[in-house]
Amino acid sequence: MNKNILFCSVGRRAKLLMNFRESMNGCGKIVATDLSPVAPALFFADETYLVPRITAPNYFEKVLEICDKSQVKAVTTLIDPEIELLAQHRDEFVKRGILPLCPADWTAHLCFDKYEMFKHLRSKGVRTVLTFNTIESFKKALAAGGICFPVFMKPISGSGSVGVGKCDTMEEVEEKWNDGKFTYIIQELMTGGDCDADVYVDCLSHKPVSIFSKKKIESRIGGASKTISYKDPKLFAFVEQVCSVLELNGPSDMDFFIKDGEYYLSEINPRFGGAYLHAYGAGADFIKLILNNIEGKENHSIIGQYDEDVIMMMYDDVVIKHKSELMSDEFSLL
């Protein structure tokens, strides 16, 4: 049985594809798509396709054509805006015998709308960051002593830390709120520390079977660039609680804050996070779990089975190719 896996919108995620190639050990092909012929990760796949923007009317049909042509057995995306699109078409993938590594559509929507996620988690009794989606509700809570400055603001459906920032006064809040760049939410500023977890939710049992946790040593725009692995059963239990009120499938990147000794969920990116490379390097191999799910095998829990005190240090690398090796000569070059 071939276990070809389609990665949509691969962009710069070359190292992730290298990890897949290593773990798959020849049992299937890596198929990759992107809008740009100079997306570096394309050059680390076995089969590559250029596709239109995900907003194009024929985009999903193009994805299905690629799945059929390349005999794809599992599909994922590496960018946030595409997650909900794939989730909306889960049934079509399943009918073709393709494992969709994405949440149910309602969960995908919650993950991309941070205020809706806040409301859902609060209704289920899951600790999360206090959040407001209107100036009026924030002012009311401020006057009642339910929140105080400084606060944190970010786009309601943002990605990659774009548009985020701390505000120390109401004037700063109102200025940012009215800048016209994004639709914002206002959150309690959490100062007790933070951490991340890479989580694999089995696509058959829909339960988390692998959790890898790491603390940030250094961050840059878009995420952590230096992290160290650690284990805390309290965090593992909280992740399981989070997963119990959502319908996740496959890999997810979860961000947490710590307050008064308790973990609070910040947000979930239901895809391979940029720092999953750390999890793989420390022994949390989600790729093997995907391959089992492709075969119809349910994975048993291996939560916490990885090495502690392993440090990841990201650095830049490059791909060097001649123009003739690109999939398109329409790209404007000097």
Side-chain angles (χ1 to χ4, degrees), residues 11-24:
R12 296 161 50 90
R13 305 290 294 278
K15 184 62 176 176
L16 177 64
L17 299 195
M18 293 183 208
N19 289 163
F20 262 81
R21 185 178 301 284
E22 178 182 54
S23 188
M24 290 174 73

Side-chain angles (χ1 to χ4, degrees), residues 41-211:
L42 287 175
F43 296 93
F44 295 85
D46 298 300
E47 296 183 12
T48 56
Y49 297 89
L50 293 183
V51 293
R53 293 188 181 279
I54 64 172
T55 53
N58 65 330
Y59 177 78
F60 184 70
E61 286 71 19
K62 180 66 174 177
V63 170
L64 289 182
E65 288 176 13
I66 293 168
C67 288
D68 292 341
K69 183 177 181 179
S70 295
Q71 298 181 315
V72 167
K73 297 302 180 184
V75 59
T76 189
T77 179
L78 301 181
I79 61 170
D80 292 329
E82 193 171 5
I83 295 168
E84 196 166 357
L85 175 64
L86 295 185
Q88 290 167 351
H89 294 280
R90 281 184 55 83
D91 290 346
E92 293 170 72
F93 288 123
V94 172
K95 288 176 183 177
R96 282 175 158 79
I98 299 167
L99 181 72
L101 298 169
C102 61
D105 56 356
W106 66 271
T107 296
H109 174 71
L110 291 179
C111 290
F112 203 56
D113 186 320
K114 295 175 176 61
Y115 187 69
E116 290 299 318
M117 175 66 89
F118 163 75
K119 291 196 300 181
H120 177 73
L121 295 175
R122 286 285 286 253
S123 72
K124 299 296 184 180
V126 177
R127 291 186 302 276
T128 188
V129 183
L130 184 60
T131 303
F132 303 90
N133 70 333
T134 68
I135 286 279
E136 291 73 24
S137 61
F138 168 66
K139 287 181 176 178
K140 184 176 179 180
L142 188 66
I147 192 170
C148 61
F149 285 107
V151 295
F152 194 72
M153 291 183 65
K154 61 184 178 183
I156 195 169
S157 298
S159 179
S161 301
V162 176
V164 306
K166 184 181 76 167
C167 294
D168 295 305
T169 65
M170 182 58 71
E171 290 73 19
E172 290 181 11
V173 168
E174 292 179 335
E175 180 181 359
K176 191 172 183 68
W177 189 270
N178 296 314
D179 67 12
K181 296 179 181 179
F182 302 99
T183 299
Y184 290 99
I185 53 175
I186 305 168
Q187 294 186 316
E188 175 186 7
L189 183 66
M190 306 292 279
T191 58
D194 60 350
C195 64
D196 297 343
D198 295 288
V199 180
Y200 189 84
V201 175
D202 188 83
C203 297
L204 302 181
S205 69
H206 307 293
K207 296 179 180 179
V209 293
S210 182
I211 303 171

